[in-house]
Amino acid sequence: MDTLTGAGLAEALTGADVVVDVANSPSFEDAAVLAFFETSTRNMLAAEARAGVRHHVALSVVGSERLVDSGYMRAKVAQETLIRTSRVPYTILHSTQFFEFLGGIAHSSVAGEAIHLPTALFQPIAANDVADALAAIVVAPPVNGAIEVAGPAPFRMDALVRRYLMATGDARGVVGQADAPYFGATIDDSSLMPTAGAQIGATDYDSWFAAR
């Protein structure tokens, strides 16, 4: 199916009780990512309403509403707004960054010969633990709100990415700067951190890295 054109949606959703939306934009450019999430989400929700779907489950990002300078995060907030105002009961899972995304974070922050990253705290999680959280939501009633999930421990972003790159044989240097942008947004120690009531994944960084 194509969520941007709507082709195949009706057929795919026939008989579906729950829809799990983990689609992501192929481009993080501001206008493109906004267009992706708004168009895809509108088409999905409209098709779900026609099909009688009883639960829309969507994956989003912890702190998305706090990072207004990031085009990607603004697009995720727009997606969430469409979900919250639709007729389909829903649950939104707010996840912290995946361990699997550490390389992507590094790649997004290359300046010259070095990688410039914020020194702010974040609490990344293994993707398998996010999948487990989504699976639990699928078989539970919709909460018509958001649930948070995070990894077991906080890290300084620059420190963990430096550790990851060294362990994977990437010789590029990491420069920690308090004001270095994270996908266009300036962050601090509260920007990407979960709230006190967040679910905590079982897999710590060392266990994840050893298993990869």
Side-chain angles (χ1 to χ4, degrees):
M1 62 183 179
D2 187 332
T3 62
L4 291 179
T5 66
L9 275 176
E11 295 81 2
L13 298 184
T14 299
D17 295 317
V18 183
V19 170
V20 182
D21 181 6
V22 292
N24 204 5
S25 175
S27 170
F28 282 14
E29 188 274 327
D30 287 3
V33 71
L34 180 62
F36 174 87
F37 280 116
E38 288 189 330
T39 303
S40 177
T41 304
R42 285 194 180 101
N43 287 340
M44 292 276 289
L45 292 170
E48 289 171 24
R50 290 191 293 268
V53 170
R54 297 197 295 265
H55 193 181
H56 179 92
V57 180
L59 180 63
S60 193
V61 186
V62 165
S64 55
E65 73 286 354
R66 297 190 287 268
L67 302 184
V68 296
D69 292 334
S70 166
Y72 183 86
M73 295 302 186
R74 290 196 300 272
K76 293 301 288 183
V77 170
Q79 176 194 27
E80 291 186 36
T81 299
L82 290 169
I83 294 168
R84 293 176 192 274
T85 56
S86 77
R87 293 182 291 143
V88 181
Y90 69 92
T91 303
I92 297 169
L93 181 64
H94 281 165
S95 172
T96 55
Q97 290 66 34
F98 298 174
F99 289 137
E100 289 82 355
F101 192 45
L102 291 173
I105 292 173
H107 182 71
S108 73
S109 303
V110 175
E113 299 297 319
I115 296 167
H116 294 257
L117 287 172
T119 56
L121 289 172
F122 74 146
Q123 196 163 322
I125 185 171
N128 280 347
D129 289 344
V130 179
D132 287 344
L134 283 169
I137 290 170
V138 164
V139 295
V143 302
N144 293 318
I147 296 170
E148 287 189 345
V149 64
F155 298 89
R156 296 288 172 188
M157 184 177 290
D158 63 317
L160 185 60
V161 172
R162 184 181 297 111
R163 177 177 167 187
Y164 172 79
L165 293 179
M166 290 178 63
T168 54
D170 191 323
R172 290 177 295 176
V174 175
V175 178
Q177 297 174 234
D179 60 349
Y182 175 75
F183 289 96
T186 300
I187 62 175
D188 59 26
D189 282 352
S190 64
S191 299
L192 298 176
M193 291 294 288
T195 62
Q199 298 178 12
I200 301 300
T203 309
D204 62 25
Y205 173 78
D206 289 333
S207 298
W208 170 80
F209 191 85
R212 70 184 291 279

